[in-house]
Structure formats: C-alpha cells, structure tokens
Amino acid sequence: MIIAIDGPAASGKGTIAARLARHFGLPHLDTGLLYRAVGLKMIDRLDDEDLPERAIAAAEALDKSDLDPEKLDAPEVAIAASRVSRIEGVRAALRQFQRDFALQPGGAVLDGRDIGTRICTDADVKLYITADPEVRARRRTEQLQAKGRPIRFEDMLAQIEARDEADRNNPAGAFYVAEDAHLLDTSEMDIEAAFRAALAIAEAALDGRSGG
Ligand code: C5P
C-alpha cells in the first residue's frame, strides 16, 4: 500500500504522514529532507553560475547519512532547498530514490510536493494537506522556538509566503493537487484532529478500493 501526501510547508503533512505510517506499520519518507540535504550542500553556492551542475552531482551522490532532520530544519536550508528544487536534473536524480522507497515490499508513506502528481501517480491513497499561511507560519515559529531556535512570526510568515510563491512557480515542479487527491484543510484543526481526519479519508479510500 502506498500513501502519497502533498502540501505546502507546515501544513501538517509531515506529522500526519509519520502518524499514518505508524498506524499502518509502513516506512515513511519525508521527501523534503532530500531537497533540504542538497540545499544544505549548496548553501554557499546558490548564486554561482555552475549551481545546476554541482547541485545535480550532489543529488546523485546523496546518502542516507545526509538526511538527519535535526541538521536540516533551519529556515535558510528550506530556502536553499526551494532553490535547488527548481533544477530539473536535481528532481530527476531524486526521483529514483523516492520511487525505490515507495516500491519496497509492503509499501510506504511519502510526503512532499509532487508525490501524487509525479512520484507515485498510482498511489492507493493521495492526500493534499493544506492550511492558511498564517496558521502554518505560527506552527513553524512555535516548532522552532520549542527547539530553542527563536524566529519572529512576521519573518516566518514572509518566508513561508515567498517559498509558497517560488514553489507554485517552480518550472520543474508539479506542485498542484492531483485530480484523485483528497483535500484536507487543517487550518482549524489541532494535530490530533488533523490526523483523525486524514486516517478517516485513508480508510474510506482503502475500503473503496477493496470494494468493502
Ligand atoms: O517540505 P519541506 O519544507 O521540507 O520542503 C523544502 C523545500 O523542498 C520545498 O519548499 C520545495 O521547494 C522542495 N521540495 C520539493 N519537492 C518535494 C519536497 C520538497 O521540491 N517533494
């Protein structure tokens, strides 16, 4: 069983994906970490002319040890990720890694931006998780503050809006809601309610597929 979860930054998709994975006993891949890892490797070279070549090489050489979430959660790394994610060769290099993860026996849960539209177009369940930018900025500010990495709400909101805009216009991306995705807006929900809603959608979709 493959569950594909897409949506913008801090929409709740990562937490929902992790909890659905635990619920169904499936492995989980946060695909944002792949782009963040490439972004971090390129963070001092973002304006270099040879960024595409170097970023593609970094994506091709990516190793599981590069994917430590604790080292990749800084807002600057997210911005760098958004920059390198516009390079088609980077997306191509990371595509196989994601597909291999999805196709492991038993299946998997993947969350990102183009899982339902590009990576796992045949996923058993597709969810698109969203929330208002203010709500997402508040959540991300609180998450970082809880880790002792203070950031102002206004700065986070500006950054989330800029990243949304860059992602929406990503020439190499497919960051739209898949036709067969179930939409879930978590703006008015806490994480428990969001997980319950996502689980209900997933179970109904799976029941539908098995004719139950
Ligand atoms: O989800 P997260 O905030 O970690 O993603 C960081 C950036 O990586 C996104 O803003 C997006 O530009 C890029 N990304 C992507 N495709 C994915 C996941 C993330 O292009 N599947």
Side-chain angles (χ1 to χ4, degrees):
M1 168 170 65
I2 298 175
I3 302 181
I5 305 185
D6 289 306
S11 56
K13 67 181 188 307
T15 310
I16 289 172
R19 290 199 52 182
L20 285 178
R22 204 172 338 131
H23 179 87
F24 289 111
L26 294 170
H28 165 224
L29 178 64
D30 167 0
T31 65
L33 292 179
L34 305 174
Y35 292 90
R36 284 172 181 256
V38 177
L40 179 60
K41 285 181 194 281
M42 294 297 112
I43 205 149
D44 295 323
R45 300 179 178 276
L46 293 173
D47 295 318
D48 289 5
E49 250 177 43
D50 61 354
L51 174 70
E53 293 81 358
R54 284 183 184 274
I56 292 167
E60 285 169 348
L62 212 62
D63 182 80
K64 284 208 176 92
S65 62
D66 294 320
L67 304 181
D68 179 354
E70 292 305 314
K71 295 193 179 127
L72 299 171
D73 68 353
E76 306 75 50
V77 177
I79 292 167
S82 183
R83 287 282 300 278
V84 297
S85 79
R86 303 173 79 80
I87 303 167
E88 174 51 39
V90 168
R91 306 202 74 80
L94 299 180
R95 201 168 287 146
Q96 201 55 46
F97 185 102
Q98 297 171 78
R99 288 199 175 140
D100 289 346
F101 191 92
L103 291 175
Q104 59 190 296
V109 180
L110 286 83
D111 74 273
R113 298 290 192 293
D114 60 351
I115 308 303
T117 50
R118 281 261 166 89
I119 304 295
C120 302
T121 50
D122 290 338
D124 300 276
V125 182
K126 294 183 188 177
L127 285 165
Y128 191 94
I129 316 281
T130 187
D132 297 338
E134 289 78 9
V135 173
R136 292 189 280 123
R138 175 73 57 209
R139 286 179 187 158
R140 192 46 60 84
T141 306
E142 285 170 3
Q143 279 166 6
L144 287 170
Q145 279 173 349
K147 288 185 186 172
R149 307 165 80 135
I151 176 156
R152 286 177 45 216
F153 167 77
E154 292 75 18
D155 295 338
M156 183 47 81
L157 179 59
Q159 196 192 103
I160 279 198
E161 285 177 338
R163 196 143 63 92
D164 282 357
E165 176 73 11
D167 285 346
R168 244 192 318 272
N169 301 318
N170 184 334
F175 299 176
Y176 48 84
V177 186
E179 258 177 32
D180 48 351
H182 301 270
L183 202 62
L184 178 61
D185 187 330
T186 67
S187 302
E188 310 269 321
M189 297 176 183
D190 64 16
I191 194 59
E192 190 58 36
F195 166 65
R196 291 278 147 211
L199 180 61
I201 293 171
E203 284 179 333
L206 291 169
D207 272 0
R209 284 187 75 113
S210 63

